[in-house]
Each structure stands twice: as C-alpha cells, then as structure tokens.
C-alpha cells in the first residue's frame, strides 16, 4: 500500500467552477500537510501548508485536514484557466522526508 | 530573493555512465533535499543535506550520493546509470535541518539510453 494515494484525474472543469482535490494517507503520524502546484516542465510550487488538523484559507484556496479519516483536501474557488496544472499533495512527520501523492491533473476550460 | 536554481536543465547519458547534478539553494535556506520524479508520478525522496552532512535518506541505492558545500549549494551524483534512472531530478531547499516546507527548483531532466 502506498503511503499517499491521490486520484490522477484528469479533472476537467469549466472556468469559475469550484474544484475539489483530495488525498488519503496511511500513516497516522503525519503532522505536516502541503499542496503543491506543478506546471508542465517546471518544479512544484508550494500553494498551502497546514499543521495537524483543521482548515486554512489563502485567497481562492482552502486546505482541509481530517486526521481522524486520514484525508486531506484542497478547494479552489472561481477556478481560472491559469489554474490548469498538476496538483500534488505532500505530507511529513517532521519535515525531514516528504511523501508525495502521484498528482491530479486539472484542466480548467475557458 | 533568489530561488532554487539547478543545472543543467537537460542531460542525456548512456547506461553505465556517471552523472553530477548541481543545485543552489534559495537565499537564506541552509538545507537541501533531492527528489526523483518519474513521469506521471510524484517526487520520491532521495536524501537531505544539512550542515554538509546527510540528514536522512530514502530508499535509493548507494550509487546515489551527494554533497553539500559551505555556501549550502549541493550536488547529486549517480554512478553506474540504469535506464530506470531516467527522471526529473528535483532539488528543494528549506530552513534549519528541514524545519519548513520545501521550495523546489525546476529540476534536471535526465535521460539514460
């Protein structure tokens, strides 16, 4: 069983839609949870970072962590064509080693 | 603020050869981690360097080795290249032994033929 599971998509939505991206994980000891966005031929770019359970909002992005269910989510409001990218979830016990999902490819159609 | 820079951007090598990839960390960051990203997969942890010493290692064989220099820049060396080593190699920097999220460079695309 993989440490982190993520639906690869692709996920195709119209511009302005609310997007929900999700990951599940197996290790209950994970404490730090991150979302990265990766454009084609680029490195991952940090979007959101949360510690332990709860919600965090930053502009159009909201990250949720449910440690009891071992489930994390990223919501994107008012999605734009420029949001089209691969979204990677990542998690860590202590920031020493990060475990990544395989990424969900998102396409926002104008 | 200068971000993470990696060189070269692309590289083609033959099976059995050796390769060295280079990374300059983001200004103010003293910890460097290396990840391997195969096509269609998420990054996989190779190792982390802090204070010029290895500070954690993933499930990669000893032919993957690294260095960190006093200016916090780093090298990844891979010996006896195999076809499966073809991937995007990502360098990421962070603070204080990895006590913060990772900031990635754009990677080196390695192709082994």
């Amino acid at each position: 069983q993989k440490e982190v599971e993520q639906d690869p998509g692709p996920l195709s939505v119209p511009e302005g839609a609310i997007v929900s991206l999700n990951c599940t994980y197996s290790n209950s000891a994970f404490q730090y949870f991150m979302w990265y966005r990766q454009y084609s031929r680029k490195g991952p770019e940090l979007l959101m970072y949360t510690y332990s359970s709860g919600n965090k909002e930053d502009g159009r992005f909201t990250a949720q962590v449910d440690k009891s269910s071992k489930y994390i989510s990223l919501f994107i409001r008012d999605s734009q064509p420029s949001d089209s990218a691969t979204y990677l979830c990542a998690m860590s016990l202590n920031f020493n080693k990060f475990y990544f999902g395989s990424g969900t490819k998102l396409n926002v159609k104008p | 603020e200068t971000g993470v820079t990696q060189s070269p951007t692309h590289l083609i090598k033959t099976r059995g050869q050796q390769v060295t990839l280079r990374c300059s960390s983001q200004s103010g960051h003293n910890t460097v981690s290396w990840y391997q990203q195969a096509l269609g997969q998420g990054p996989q942890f190779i190792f982390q360097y802090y204070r010029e010493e290895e500070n954690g290692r993933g499930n990669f064989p000893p032919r993957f080795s690294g260095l960190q220099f006093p200016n916090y820049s780093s090298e990844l060396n891979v010996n006896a290249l195999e076809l499966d080593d073809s991937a995007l190699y990502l360098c990421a920097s962070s603070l204080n032994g990895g006590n913060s999220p990772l900031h990635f460079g754009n990677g080196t695309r390695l192709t082994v033929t």
Side-chain angles (χ1 to χ4, degrees):
Chain A
Q1 183 188 10
K2 284 187 178 180
E3 297 269 5
V4 181
E5 298 278 0
Q6 186 175 9
D7 188 332
L11 184 60
S12 189
V13 301
E15 183 176 353
I18 296 175
V19 176
S20 173
L21 303 166
N22 311 293
C23 288
T24 58
Y25 61 94
S26 57
N27 190 341
S28 58
F30 286 142
Q31 297 189 86
Y32 302 96
F33 303 90
M34 278 113 334
W35 286 94
Y36 287 84
R37 177 174 63 195
Q38 187 172 26
Y39 292 114
S40 181
R41 302 182 190 283
K42 296 287 188 183
E45 170 195 8
L46 180 66
L47 281 176
M48 300 285 286
Y49 149 58
T50 53
Y51 170 69
S52 194
S53 281
N55 295 357
K56 184 174 183 178
E57 188 173 321
D58 184 2
R60 296 185 296 114
F61 299 92
T62 299
Q64 287 185 351
V65 176
D66 181 350
K67 289 193 75 178
S68 61
S69 302
K70 297 180 195 169
Y71 188 86
I72 69 170
S73 301
L74 177 71
F75 298 95
I76 307 174
R77 289 182 297 281
D78 187 25
S79 56
Q80 302 295 310
S82 58
D83 294 328
S84 298
T86 296
Y87 289 79
L88 296 158
C89 62
M91 43 204 80
S92 179
L93 282 73
N94 53 13
F95 276 137
N96 175 257
K97 176 180 180 180
F98 284 64
Y99 295 83
F100 282 83
S102 56
T104 299
K105 189 167 184 178
L106 172 66
N107 181 31
V108 181
K109 299 174 292 185
Chain B
E1 183 181 84
T2 307
V4 178
T5 58
Q6 293 187 243
S7 64
T9 53
H10 294 86
L11 205 50
I12 300 175
K13 289 286 190 178
T14 303
R15 189 172 51 184
Q17 287 187 317
Q18 177 265 343
V19 69
T20 297
L21 311 181
R22 294 179 174 83
C23 172
S24 293
S25 61
Q26 182 170 315
S27 58
H29 286 186
N30 57 13
T31 304
V32 172
S33 303
W34 286 92
Y35 283 76
Q36 181 195 65
Q37 187 177 24
L39 201 61
Q41 300 296 315
Q44 292 217 311
F45 177 67
I46 302 175
F47 42 55
Q48 183 185 86
Y49 276 83
Y50 173 56
R51 293 182 173 173
E52 300 176 51
E53 300 219 347
E54 191 177 284
N55 186 41
R57 189 179 183 93
N59 193 24
F60 280 81
R63 59 189 185 84
F64 286 78
S65 63
L67 285 173
Q68 186 182 32
F69 301 99
N71 66 353
Y72 309 133
S73 67
S74 178
E75 286 181 356
L76 164 66
N77 298 290
V78 187
N79 293 323
L81 284 166
E82 301 177 359
L83 297 179
D84 283 350
D85 295 333
S86 296
L88 181 67
Y89 287 86
L90 294 162
C91 171
S93 69
S94 55
L95 295 167
N96 297 332
N99 208 21
S100 67
L102 301 173
H103 294 264
F104 285 91
N106 285 325
T108 294
R109 172 73 60 187
L110 173 65
T111 302
V112 182
T113 62

